[in-house]
Amino acid sequence: MAKYDKVDLERRMKGAVDALASDLAGLRTGRASANLLDPITVTVYGSQMPLNQVASVSVPEPRMISVQVWDKSNVGPVEKAIRSAGLGLNPINDGNTLRLPIPDLTEERRKELAKLAGSYAEKARVAIRNVRRDGMDNLKADENKKEISEDDRKRLETELQKLTDEQIKAVEDEFVRKEKDILGK
């Protein structure tokens, strides 16, 4: 049984691209987005819970996020979690609802966010290359065990490189799109 599994390698590479898309969704671009609060966890009922499990998040207008906390006793912890998330947001408490006005991004902050997006993209590229390396190692091992021929190994390596290039391009496309969004170009 060959260890090389193209479907698994493709799944792992796509996973890196999906993780990047999710990381980038959390970066603020000056427009309100419910995804902005996805990474935030809140300490309630003695444990850490994702914000979306204790409140509903909506975007009533382009520069405002509304957080409707379900249990009134959790409004304080939710407000604290949002303030300490490092997103530069200051919640306005209206009883059960927190309103989050989205301030304009300074040029300096835009550059910081673009740099952060770049580091997320690089992390995804490295993950994809690591998956490629695993695949190449598996192909060499399969060839050494005489499970595939040298020609098969070379053909599959070319196929794997093509898949890697496609996924790296997907990472690049996500990054460029987000960078334009952040820098307002």
Side-chain angles (χ1 to χ4, degrees), residues 1-178:
M1 170 75 192
K3 288 188 344 189
Y4 176 77
D5 180 357
K6 182 182 177 191
V7 174
D8 180 56
L9 294 170
E10 189 169 358
R11 180 189 56 75
R12 287 169 55 198
M13 285 184 184
K14 281 188 180 359
V17 175
D18 293 345
L20 171 68
S22 153
D23 286 346
L24 292 179
L27 288 181
R28 194 157 73 79
T29 59
R31 274 196 312 275
S33 162
N35 296 352
L36 187 58
L37 304 179
D38 284 352
I40 297 178
T41 57
V42 186
T43 307
V44 289
Y45 310 122
S47 66
Q48 289 281 59
M49 294 177 76
L51 178 67
N52 61 13
Q53 289 184 12
V54 294
S56 51
V57 179
S58 62
V59 182
E61 49 192 88
R63 301 187 70 79
M64 179 75 65
I65 298 176
S66 174
V67 179
Q68 180 76 40
V69 183
W70 298 322
D71 181 346
K72 198 173 175 94
S73 66
N74 292 335
V75 173
V78 168
E79 184 176 357
K80 184 178 173 212
I82 292 170
R83 281 189 199 281
S84 61
L87 295 171
L89 299 174
N90 288 314
I92 299 165
N93 191 336
D94 292 347
N96 267 25
T97 307
L98 296 172
R99 289 183 303 128
L100 309 172
I102 306 293
D104 278 328
L105 289 175
T106 62
E107 192 57 36
E108 189 179 319
R109 182 70 179 137
R110 285 179 190 276
K111 287 186 176 129
E112 281 174 26
L113 289 171
K115 191 186 273 185
L116 185 58
S119 73
Y120 287 164
E122 185 52 33
K123 200 170 70 177
R125 285 188 212 98
V126 167
I128 289 170
R129 289 188 201 113
N130 286 341
V131 173
R132 177 189 61 194
R133 188 194 59 228
D134 290 349
M136 295 292 191
D137 291 349
N138 290 347
L139 285 171
K140 287 184 181 103
D142 289 351
E143 182 189 6
N144 290 341
K145 287 191 251 160
K146 305 286 185 235
E147 292 176 5
I148 61 173
S149 67
E150 183 182 354
D151 289 347
D152 284 342
R153 178 184 56 84
K154 287 182 177 172
R155 180 182 53 76
L156 290 169
E157 280 178 352
T158 305
E159 226 175 74
L160 180 58
Q161 184 58 49
K162 185 174 174 244
L163 176 65
T164 303
D165 294 342
E166 286 169 9
Q167 297 307 317
I168 297 263
K169 182 174 180 346
V171 164
E172 209 48 46
D173 293 346
E174 286 279 334
F175 168 64
V176 167
R177 186 183 54 72
K178 188 64 175 189

